[in-house]
Amino acid sequence: MEEDLDVLPGVTIPQWELVFTASRSGGPGGQHANKTSSRVTLHWSVKTTSALTEQQRWRVKKNLASRLTQDGVLQLHVEDSRSQHRNRELARERLVDVLKKALFVPKKRRATKPTKASKRRRVDAKKARSGVKKMRGKPRGDD
């Protein structure tokens, strides 16, 4: 039996919230593809989940808005493998990856000014480069 899904510390999705459906997979596979339902679709309701806080729920809804249904359900389709069991495992792994990216909080950038030393180094480098380029020209007679 499958167990709860650990996404991040403090974020664990109970197994009963994950709904799997199977359907026939397209693509190559010959007779096997025509007879078996190996494609797996994972349905997980962001709206009703008990795994997320309100702030996390808002962040997931914002970051995954284009992937959610109107009812707030995230659907992941997996048909990589010929095995339905393997596709279920892949769907669980992909859900973890998608949620980690959606829950990531970027650091706030603090504006800084360049130091005097870095300004001096920049100007010195520009002068050195200018000198190299001057040396490439034809020699002048007044030097």
Side-chain angles (χ1 to χ4, degrees):
M1 180 169 161
E2 295 180 53
E3 52 203 39
D4 295 348
L5 195 59
D6 292 325
V7 179
L8 292 170
V11 179
T12 302
I13 301 173
Q15 174 57 36
W16 59 268
E17 287 186 5
L18 304 176
V19 178
F20 292 94
T21 56
S23 58
R24 291 200 177 141
S25 178
Q31 189 64 23
H32 178 79
N34 298 334
K35 290 169 58 177
T36 59
S37 298
S38 59
R39 177 184 191 207
V40 171
T41 304
L42 169 61
H43 306 269
W44 179 61
S45 177
V46 177
K47 250 186 190 177
T48 61
T49 186
S50 61
L52 302 175
T53 64
E54 282 305 313
Q55 187 177 12
Q56 290 171 333
R57 189 184 323 271
W58 176 85
R59 186 172 292 283
V60 168
K61 282 182 180 179
K62 178 178 164 260
N63 290 335
L64 299 178
S66 63
R67 298 183 73 170
L68 297 177
T69 64
Q70 288 182 341
D71 300 330
V73 176
L74 176 66
Q75 294 181 346
L76 296 173
H77 306 286
V78 181
E79 54 185 332
D80 295 355
S81 172
R82 287 174 53 141
S83 162
Q84 186 183 115
H85 179 71
R86 179 68 185 132
N87 283 337
R88 283 174 68 102
E89 291 303 314
L90 288 172
R92 287 170 57 94
E93 291 170 16
R94 286 190 191 164
L95 178 61
V96 170
D97 291 341
V98 166
L99 286 178
K100 279 183 180 177
K101 288 178 186 168
L103 290 171
F104 177 74
V105 180
K107 282 190 206 173
K108 288 194 175 180
R109 184 188 179 279
R110 279 190 277 154
T112 58
K113 292 182 181 178
T115 62
K116 278 188 178 181
S118 67
K119 287 181 187 177
R120 189 175 301 115
R121 281 192 302 269
R122 182 180 145 271
V123 170
D124 290 346
K126 287 168 77 83
K127 285 181 184 175
R129 187 73 184 146
S130 172
V132 167
K133 289 188 174 190
K134 279 185 184 169
M135 293 302 288
R136 290 183 189 156
K138 291 183 182 179
R140 294 194 313 237
D142 61 342
D143 286 335

